[in-house]
Amino acid sequence: MSQSTGMPGEMNRRQLLRRIGLTALAAGPGAGLLSACATAGSGGADARTPATPAATAATSAANPLGVDPKKPLEVVIFNGGNGDGYATGLHQPLYRKAYPQAEIKHVPTQKIGTQLRPRFVSGDVPDVVNNSGPEALDMAALAAEGHLADLTALFDAPSIDDPGKKVRDTLVGGVQENSLIDGVPHVLNYTVAHRALWYNAKLFAAKGWTVPKTWDAFLALGEEAKKAGITLFAYPGQVGPFYQVWNLVYTAAKIGGNQVIVDIDNLADGAWTNPAVLASVTAWADLQARYGDKAYFGLDHTQTQIKHLQDKVAFYPCGSWLENEMAKDKPDSFEYAIAPVPSVTATDKLPAEAIMVGVSEAFFASAKGPNPAGGLEYLRIMLSREGARGYTERTKNLTVVNGVAEGLDLPPAVRSAAKAQDAAGRNTITDARFESWYKELFDHSQTQTNAVMAGRVTPEQFCANMQKKADEIKKDSSVSKQTRSA
Amino acid sequence: MFTRLRAFGFVAGFLVVPAVLYLAFVINPYVQAFQIALTDWRGVSRAPGFVGLENFARLWDDQAFWQALRNHGVLLVTLPLVTIALALFFAYLLNLGGGGASGTMRGVRWSGFYRVVFFLPQVLAVAVVGVLFKAVYRPDESGVVNGALIKLGLEPVGWLTEPGLALWSIIAVMVWQAVGFYVVLFSAGMAAIPRDVFEAAALDGAGRVRMFLSITLPLLWDTVQVGWVYLGIAAFDGFALVQVLSVDRGGPDGATTVLPLEIWKTAFSYSKFGYASAMGVALFFMTITFAALTLRVTRRERIEF
């Protein structure tokens, strides 16, 4: 295959032609050009483009994905809590080092959806996207249009640091699982996040409190805290009731095993009316009624987190990004530490140490972009030791790459989470994926969670209402369905 | 003939640019929304599938849609009624409420100052008003209202978290924000009423209430009618305030949701652009019907002075 067709000049002409709608003409000149735009300029929207993006250059040991070293690359980064410095200061220089001739266009944004939706419609798509934040694009919809590159080639490629190892073998469990859309790996979740209850280790030490392992101990601590004028537990009801949705679902998994969540995600019959879900919701609603404060139903996440920092709340449900988020407001008297949700019954399937370990921060490469192989290569560079370790160093988030963070100076929250993960061992709680698969169901779960925690509906009604919505979604042919096996 | 053509060309030359812009950026999206409403477009494809009226059929069973409609119903009745009543009352006091007995009509003392105070909320952006009232309604001791209640030893009120109260709390904000504009609008209308009508009425011994009901209101009817239509259309919106103030986007339990919010969620959260457009089309027809009905029902004989 000739490489000359990949010159930037050619590129622009092809893009221009595509933009003015002359796709037929663009497909004319030369087989090389044709293969270069096999996925890019096909124009049809119905076509679910098959598997691997066409390689545009020969593959070699140093270049297993067949990247055309001269092709430009466009990277869109969600410029949120983690900033975009890790991309401009680390990953992009690494790519440039490997391919000095490639020009990289960096696009930081907080509005992924607003900025990219029209571009996906018109066909002028970026090569790598960090699909994150409140306006993240619907992955299932993108996959259905064939916009997402198949990551199989990436996972099977040799790791940059150890050519004897495949990339997939350097990653923590769950990455593969979570990359699948309709059975094909499309999404790379880059960071590991631990979700459970956060507390102030210094406050607990000062008061002589221990982290409860059983629900009775949890309630007893609630009594203690009440005496000290502290609310045992609060979640933000105005913006962010999903923190409590997570809590309810993960607790249900603790009681009944991860299959509870798998069933919920698969829209299985009776998934929400499972006794484990009912037990979890009953326990939490009771705790809220006894030791909660209804003021928090009207506060947003930032307001609640500030009150947590002021030691007005003992336990707050969130993920391990919390310390990063609140770094500016955190007083020295506060040290974030994570506590698994206490065991609800004596016969819980998972032990008290069980904690949710999930992957997040979605990245994808475009199948129809101008440089799909370059997109995959960029992701491979992110998964290298240097790329991942540097990311952790800069953002204080652990990545999905195994064993690259040793010796780094990590903040207490991340250290505490890593320790909790060690204690949990293999007993990790799986992530609930209906959150991104079925946003309507997820929104409904937030409304219902607020209702049941405020006592407007009973736990039984909660389960019934959720099951009703899940059944509706199942019957709705306009919603594309996903399944998971574990 | 030639000069007329030239004049036409001259006028057309000025009109072409705005007309094209209007067609491209106002009319065209409307037409497109009607088109998209008949498809299953999910926001990222180039060739959405045509599904006919399926999206509209779906609306019948959509609880969130009907809940939003019910909330619009409440808004439609209360927002114009309360706003116009308050605005009329204040405008009357500011312009005519001060004098009367002697026949010379003027406003109450300090009326210039009050005028500014009333108008102030109007110049604040809706988002600012939202954030402001978030602090006012805040459910704990840091809230403006609840802080005072707690200091007085009373239980704090969940202004926005009680399903029975939340919509009224938001309506109160809408009224607070709208009243100033209508005070100014009605003041202008009142200024246009000839003074001798009031003088004559005063000589005949009419009191302020009588003068308001028999003179001011009938002579102001056109303006009130315009205000009613504006406020009615505003009652079909409410997106920004609900989005900022309400718990769980239109909650609790959907008690404060409005159609624009449902459209926004359906399109941008659930990626159902086709269905969201169908909701938009429904909203479009409701707004138009309301405006047409109001103008028809409230039509009266114009009084010449």
Side-chain angles (χ1 to χ4, degrees), chain A residues 258-276:
Chain A
N258 280 327
Q259 189 62 34
V260 175
I261 293 181
V262 174
D263 286 345
I264 286 175
D265 286 347
N266 285 337
L267 303 175
D269 293 330
W272 286 96
T273 48
N274 186 317

Side-chain angles (χ1 to χ4, degrees), chain A residues 43 45 117 121 138 142 145 238 295 297-300 303 307 439-440 443 447 450-451 456 468 476 478 480, chain B residues 42-43 45-47 58 134 138-140 161 163 244-249 252-253 268-273:
Chain A
R117 199 169 281 115
V121 173
D138 184 336
L142 283 173
E145 298 297 331
Q238 202 229 350
F297 294 138
L299 294 184
D300 65 23
Q303 291 167 334
K307 296 191 84 162
K439 285 228 172 89
E440 263 182 282
D443 271 10
T447 305
N450 268 348
R456 290 194 295 272
K468 187 162 160 264
D476 188 342
S478 72
S480 55
Chain B
R42 300 203 64 196
S45 66
R46 271 182 259 178
R58 234 172 234 267
K134 215 176 152 179
R138 195 178 152 137
D140 61 3
T161 54
V244 177
L245 281 176
S246 70
V247 296
D248 183 27
R249 297 193 302 182
D253 306 350
F268 298 104
S269 286
Y270 311 151
S271 288
K272 291 178 169 176
F273 286 78

Side-chain angles (χ1 to χ4, degrees), chain A residues 254-314:
Chain A
K254 198 160 220 178
I255 300 169
N258 280 327
Q259 189 62 34
V260 175
I261 293 181
V262 174
D263 286 345
I264 286 175
D265 286 347
N266 285 337
L267 303 175
D269 293 330
W272 286 96
T273 48
N274 186 317
V277 178
L278 181 63
S280 160
V281 178
T282 309
W284 277 110
D286 166 66
L287 181 113
Q288 170 75 39
R290 283 209 249 171
Y291 301 111
D293 178 348
K294 68 181 166 82
Y296 292 93
F297 294 138
L299 294 184
D300 65 23
H301 56 301
T302 313
Q303 291 167 334
T304 310
Q305 284 156 203
I306 293 277
K307 296 191 84 162
H308 186 217
L309 289 176
Q310 294 167 342
D311 284 334
K312 288 184 174 152
V313 177

Side-chain angles (χ1 to χ4, degrees), chain A residues 185-269:
Chain A
H186 281 307
V187 190
L188 174 67
N189 286 289
Y190 191 52
T191 64
V192 184
H194 303 74
R195 293 177 190 165
L197 304 171
W198 294 89
Y199 66 97
N200 178 2
K202 286 183 180 166
L203 173 76
F204 272 55
K207 298 260 180 206
W209 294 344
T210 48
V211 174
K213 292 215 185 282
T214 65
W215 206 260
D216 287 336
F218 198 14
L219 295 176
L221 183 61
E223 208 58 58
E224 285 286 305
K226 206 179 206 172
K227 278 182 215 145
I230 298 171
T231 306
L232 176 65
F233 163 85
Y235 76 93
Q238 202 229 350
V239 179
F242 60 89
Y243 285 174
Q244 181 60 7
V245 174
W246 290 344
N247 229 346
L248 295 178
V249 171
Y250 301 152
T251 307
K254 198 160 220 178
I255 300 169
N258 280 327
Q259 189 62 34
V260 175
I261 293 181
V262 174
D263 286 345
I264 286 175
D265 286 347
N266 285 337
L267 303 175
D269 293 330

Side-chain angles (χ1 to χ4, degrees), chain B residues 48-301:
Chain B
F50 179 80
V51 295
L53 294 174
E54 194 190 302
N55 286 329
F56 292 94
R58 234 172 234 267
L59 282 179
W60 282 111
D61 309 316
D62 188 338
Q63 276 187 14
F65 177 76
W66 289 106
Q67 199 164 21
L69 278 197
R70 266 196 301 278
N71 292 341
H72 281 303
V74 175
L75 272 170
L76 204 51
V77 175
T78 50
L79 181 64
L81 212 61
V82 177
T83 310
I84 289 178
L86 279 176
L88 273 175
F89 177 67
F90 289 138
Y92 187 67
L93 287 187
L94 288 185
N95 292 285
L96 310 164
S102 66
T104 49
M105 305 295 295
R106 58 196 150 69
V108 294
R109 200 184 301 204
W110 302 100
S111 62
F113 170 71
Y114 289 129
R115 219 182 292 254
V116 173
V117 170
F118 285 137
F119 198 69
L120 202 62
Q122 191 66 35
V123 297
L124 296 177
V126 188
V128 175
V129 172
V131 173
L132 200 70
F133 273 87
K134 215 176 152 179
V136 171
Y137 287 144
R138 195 178 152 137
D140 61 3
E141 68 283 348
S142 310
V144 174
V145 181
N146 281 327
L149 287 179
I150 290 171
K151 282 230 171 65
L152 291 173
L154 298 169
E155 274 289 295
V157 178
W159 298 108
L160 296 163
T161 54
E162 297 296 333
L165 208 56
L167 186 60
W168 297 107
S169 301
I170 289 176
I171 291 177
V173 181
M174 291 170 121
V175 170
W176 178 82
Q177 207 206 0
V179 143
F181 174 78
Y182 293 95
V183 168
V184 172
L185 186 74
F186 295 152
S187 293
M190 285 178 193
I193 301 173
R195 301 279 126 162
D196 24 344
V197 183
F198 291 110
E199 277 164 32
L203 287 178
D204 290 342
R208 285 184 217 184
V209 178
R210 182 64 202 246
M211 263 197 263
F212 174 78
L213 291 176
S214 303
I215 299 176
T216 318
L217 195 55
L219 292 181
L220 211 59
W221 195 249
D222 273 349
T223 322
V224 171
Q225 195 177 322
V226 169
W228 197 282
V229 174
Y230 280 174
L231 284 164
I233 291 172
F236 280 109
D237 181 19
F239 172 79
L241 274 182
V242 173
Q243 167 80 346
V244 177
L245 281 176
S246 70
V247 296
D248 183 27
R249 297 193 302 182
D253 306 350
T256 58
T257 196
V258 285
L259 258 188
L261 187 69
E262 289 301 323
I263 292 173
W264 179 76
K265 278 203 265 188
T266 308
F268 298 104
S269 286
Y270 311 151
S271 288
K272 291 178 169 176
F273 286 78
Y275 185 45
S277 295
M279 287 184 179
V281 169
L283 178 61
F284 172 80
F285 281 116
M286 278 184 270
T287 316
I288 292 235
T289 314
F290 166 78
L293 270 182
T294 319
L295 286 174
R296 186 137 296 240
V297 169
T298 54
R299 183 186 287 169
R300 289 242 183 133
E301 294 283 316

Side-chain angles (χ1 to χ4, degrees), chain A residues 294-376:
Chain A
K294 68 181 166 82
Y296 292 93
F297 294 138
L299 294 184
D300 65 23
H301 56 301
T302 313
Q303 291 167 334
T304 310
Q305 284 156 203
I306 293 277
K307 296 191 84 162
H308 186 217
L309 289 176
Q310 294 167 342
D311 284 334
K312 288 184 174 152
V313 177
F315 288 107
Y316 179 73
C318 195
S320 41
W321 57 85
L322 180 60
E323 180 162 18
N324 239 0
E325 192 179 331
M326 302 308 290
K328 270 195 300 242
D329 301 298
K330 194 177 76 64
D332 288 337
S333 59
F334 200 99
E335 184 187 311
Y336 276 115
I338 197 167
V341 173
S343 298
V344 177
T345 69
T347 53
D348 280 5
K349 283 246 172 72
L350 295 173
E353 289 76 25
I355 193 171
M356 187 274 178
V357 181
V359 293
S360 55
E361 277 306 304
F363 283 78
F364 68 80
S366 295
K368 297 182 180 179
N371 191 0
L376 291 182

